[in-house]
Structure formats: structure tokens, C-alpha cells
Amino acid sequence: NVYVTGTSTGGSDDIVTIKYDSAGNKLWESRYDSGWVDRASAFAVDNAGNSYVAGMTYAGGSPAIVVLKYDSGGNQQWVETASGNAGGDTLASALAIDGAGNVYITGKTGRVTDYDIMTVKYLSDGTTAWAHTFGTAGLDDWGVDVAVDGSGNTYVLGAMTRGAGNTDFVTVKYDAAGTPSSAVTYDAFTRIDTPSAMALG
């Protein structure tokens, strides 16, 4: 089966998620409309066929992370939003799921020229387990990708701004409680280093 998600423009921008079978027949279509602008940016499916969408919504007045869970039939199970800095933007860029159905989101929160990496863990019922920001005050930092291991440790790949024209890779490890336990950076000769993706081996 193939699952797709994205943004569909009607009266406002909505998040639309569709499931097709292997022959291309549409099995279901689900739409999320907060009444404001809603956009999808990350997607995953678990072993039980539940679908998870992360994106952005303006429902609270400022851009915030929105996370949706659909069951195998396309029925919405829950929707949650997350905001970081008051009055700033909070945007999702990547999503991961562990074997228990917990959901991990990374992205950024803050304002232009002063964003921090924001990472949130939701339990399988949509309850927020923890949320954490990581970054340098006054500079732009943002999350790019997220992964979780079998022990519940969370790994976030992000970009950190060191100064004008210089960004580095940063990889942050959080323990199962959401406490950052280590962070490593990569800087190639004081140039722009732009991370793209990560995987666990």
C-alpha cells in the first residue's frame, strides 16, 4: 500500500492524506482543516497501518506544529499542536515512530535570525511526553531529521549557525526521558555545512 500526504488548497490550505492499494486504487482520503492554513511536512506509517502526519497550522494565530494520527481506515484518532517561543514560529520538519507507537517530531521554534531546534515526543495516545529546545541564543538553529533506537534514545540531526555564512551539522542525543546526553558537531573549514538526513545503524 502507498500513503501520500500534502497540502490541498480550498477555502484555506488543508492537509490531505490518501492511501492507495498496490494497484493504485484509492482506499481512503482524510482531510484536516483547522479553518486556517494547514500544511504537511513529514509522514510515517507504523506496523499496524496507523498513519502519522506532522506539519504546520496557523490555528493559534502563529505557526505551530500540528501532529495527526489516523487509524488503518483513515479515521482521525487524535490531533495535537505544539508551540515553542511565545509569538514565534514553530515548524516541523521530520517525524519518527518507535515500536510502541510513540511519535517523535523535530523542527524549529523562534523568530527569524533566532530559531532553536525543537524536538517533541508524543505518547501513542497523543499525550506530550516531553519537549526540548537546543541551540545558540541569537542565532538560527533548526532540526532536519529525527530517529529513535530500541532503547528509547532519540537522535536529532540539525543545523547550527556559527556566524555569518557559516552553518555546521549538529547531532544531538536525548535519553528516554528527553534529557540531552550528548551533542557532536561537524564543521568543514568554516564553510556552510547543510545537513540533509540521518539513519541509525
Side-chain angles (χ1 to χ4, degrees):
N1 299 309
V2 181
Y3 303 76
V4 299
T5 194
T7 305
S8 176
T9 302
S12 60
D13 287 357
D14 303 337
I15 295 173
V16 63
T17 305
I18 307 163
K19 177 181 178 180
Y20 299 97
D21 66 17
S22 59
N25 301 302
K26 185 168 72 172
L27 301 179
W28 53 257
E29 173 185 335
S30 293
R31 182 175 291 264
Y32 174 75
D33 179 12
S34 68
W36 299 86
V37 173
D38 308 297
R39 293 174 180 161
S41 57
F43 186 73
V45 180
D46 68 18
N47 291 333
N50 300 301
S51 305
Y52 304 82
V53 181
M56 179 271 290
T57 182
Y58 271 95
S62 297
I65 290 174
V66 62
V67 184
L68 302 151
K69 178 180 179 179
Y70 298 100
D71 66 16
S72 59
N75 303 298
Q76 183 179 299
Q77 300 300 291
W78 49 259
V79 56
E80 297 292 338
T81 58
S83 297
N85 297 331
D89 302 342
T90 305
L91 306 172
S93 57
L95 177 156
I97 307 164
D98 67 19
N102 301 310
V103 184
Y104 303 78
I105 308 292
T106 196
K108 64 181 182 179
T109 185
R111 301 173 184 273
V112 175
T113 73
D114 188 11
Y115 283 106
D116 290 328
I117 298 168
M118 183 169 179
T119 306
V120 186
K121 176 183 177 180
Y122 295 95
L123 302 180
S124 60
D125 63 359
T127 303
T128 301
W130 52 260
H132 203 286
T133 57
F134 183 94
T136 306
L139 296 174
D140 274 348
D141 312 300
W142 61 95
V144 173
D145 206 352
V146 61
V148 59
D149 67 19
S151 299
N153 299 301
T154 306
Y155 302 82
V156 174
L157 174 66
M160 293 188 70
T161 302
R162 297 296 193 181
N166 181 19
T167 57
D168 299 341
F169 293 15
V170 61
T171 307
V172 187
K173 178 180 179 180
Y174 297 92
D175 64 20
T179 304
S181 58
S182 64
V184 293
T185 58
Y186 171 78
D187 181 15
F189 310 110
T190 319
R191 298 177 179 175
I192 297 175
D193 304 305
T194 305
S196 298
M198 72 181 304
L200 299 185

